[in-house]
Amino acid sequence: FFFQMLAGRVAVVTGSTSGIGLGIACSLAKEGCSIVLHGSRGEDAAADAIAKVKGYNVDVLYVQASLASPDIGATEIIFKTIEKFSKIDI
């Protein structure tokens, strides 16, 4: 039941180009969430993660941002997410 409520939601997953973050992003995508992937390296470095999540036929946005300065990095992630999807659900 819970997972049925995820379809159509927008989820931001930080640190999501590998490991646990990518696993979470894939699990949410499998349930129909649009996904905002985040990493500290360029989009080329995240290409495999982007392709993997797109394989679930959901919209994907990749945002490169450093969270070493959380105010700046988090603001960038939020701004770009709202710009593309007009909302953040998760």
Side-chain angles (χ1 to χ4, degrees):
F1 173 75
F2 173 74
F3 290 113
Q4 293 174 345
M5 298 185 327
L6 295 177
R9 306 281 183 167
V10 175
V12 175
V13 185
T14 59
S16 53
T17 57
S18 64
I20 293 170
L22 180 56
I24 291 168
C26 287
S27 293
L28 291 167
K30 183 179 177 183
E31 299 304 325
C33 286
S34 295
I35 302 294
V36 179
L37 294 172
H38 157 262
S40 59
R41 294 194 259 162
E43 194 165 336
D44 288 345
D48 288 343
I50 294 167
K52 188 170 186 174
V53 175
K54 281 186 176 180
Y56 292 99
N57 296 315
V58 296
D59 288 330
V60 178
L61 170 67
Y62 176 70
V63 180
Q64 177 188 357
S66 172
L67 293 180
S69 175
D71 292 343
I72 295 169
T75 299
E76 184 173 354
I77 294 167
I78 291 166
F79 176 78
K80 289 183 176 181
T81 301
I82 297 297
E83 185 177 59
K84 178 169 174 104
F85 296 110
S86 301
K87 65 178 184 171
I88 299 173
D89 297 303
I90 302 168

